[in-house]
Amino acid sequence: MFRKFLIDRTIRYGEFISCALSGIMFGLWHGNFQQFFFAFFIGVLFAFVYIRTGNIIYTMIMHASVNLVTSTITVELLSELMKRMGFDFANGTVNTDIDYDAVMQSVLPLMALLLLWLVILASFQIVGFVMLIVKRKKFKLAAMPGEPARKTILHTMTHSVPMWIFFTFAILLFVYAYVPDILAAILSLAGK
């Protein structure tokens, strides 16, 4: 949706607008600030890859890979580590009657595995950043023939009913993610 559907309709406004809009909308779609910034940059990258290759399959594979790495492996390792340390996320409880020596023997190998995993992820980021610097001329966004002025593009985007529907839905996602916690904090403060 954020690559094929959106970019195919906005590319006439230029690569910059298509990439930026795709990134912003992809970030907003995640519905919280913890994921927004990461999703924004990933969305811009995916948009760029789609624009340059014209093949949506590449971005689908990249998206699946990022989700596998961030949402599956990392989260599973962290969850297992927390469980071994006595934190039960299902019940929201902490086990205070634990044998710390046994916990350390159980946790140390998992921490080593987690550290190795983080080093691997950091290496990919460093290699990617170095490649971006070395190949920076290939990453320049091109102007499209007949591209309208930025003011015209901004006017078109801010006066679009589908855009306002999307942004309203995105705001509702953010509200849904944060308002219950804010209300709980206010109520707990009022109860004291």
Side-chain angles (χ1 to χ4, degrees):
M1 180 168 100
F2 299 104
R3 261 73 64 192
K4 182 74 175 144
F5 179 77
L6 182 66
I7 291 174
D8 286 352
R9 283 153 186 78
T10 60
I11 194 66
R12 68 177 177 256
Y13 299 115
E15 290 182 354
F16 176 81
I17 292 296
S18 286
C19 287
L21 192 59
S22 178
I24 289 169
M25 293 179 79
F26 188 63
L28 287 174
W29 187 257
H30 283 79
N32 59 64
F33 286 112
Q34 291 89 346
Q35 292 177 303
F36 172 78
F37 298 103
F38 177 74
F40 166 75
F41 288 112
I42 291 292
V44 169
L45 174 68
F46 291 168
F48 182 80
V49 168
Y50 174 66
I51 288 170
R52 290 301 164 99
T53 64
N55 193 339
I56 195 71
I57 297 299
Y58 296 140
T59 62
M60 292 170 78
I61 291 169
M62 291 168 64
H63 192 188
S65 300
V66 167
N67 283 350
L68 174 69
V69 167
T70 59
S71 299
T72 306
I73 298 171
T74 307
V75 170
E76 188 58 38
L77 283 172
L78 288 173
S79 295
E80 182 62 26
L81 179 67
M82 298 307 276
K83 186 168 62 171
R84 289 184 186 185
M85 292 173 65
F87 295 99
D88 185 2
F89 287 111
N91 300 331
T93 60
V94 177
N95 183 3
T96 56
D97 300 326
I98 55 175
D99 179 14
Y100 288 104
D101 291 331
V103 168
M104 288 308 289
Q105 288 177 354
S106 169
V107 168
L108 284 176
L110 190 59
M111 288 180 78
L113 182 61
L114 183 60
L115 182 63
L116 175 65
W117 179 244
L118 293 175
V119 167
I120 290 169
L121 291 179
S123 331
F124 278 118
Q125 290 175 345
I126 292 168
V127 167
F129 188 66
V130 169
M131 286 178 58
L132 179 65
I133 292 171
V134 170
K135 306 268 186 183
R136 68 184 170 275
K137 291 185 179 180
K138 290 187 176 190
F139 291 104
K140 292 204 179 200
L141 297 171
M144 301 304 290
E147 180 179 315
R150 300 268 192 246
K151 187 176 179 181
T152 305
I153 296 168
L154 184 61
H155 181 270
T156 302
M157 287 183 350
T158 57
H159 289 76
S160 168
V161 173
M163 288 295 288
W164 280 106
I165 291 170
F166 176 83
F167 286 125
T168 302
F169 185 72
I171 288 168
L172 289 174
L173 278 174
F174 274 79
V175 167
Y176 177 74
Y178 292 107
V179 166
D181 293 334
I182 292 169
L183 288 177
I186 291 171
L187 291 174
S188 72
L189 288 175
K192 288 184 177 182

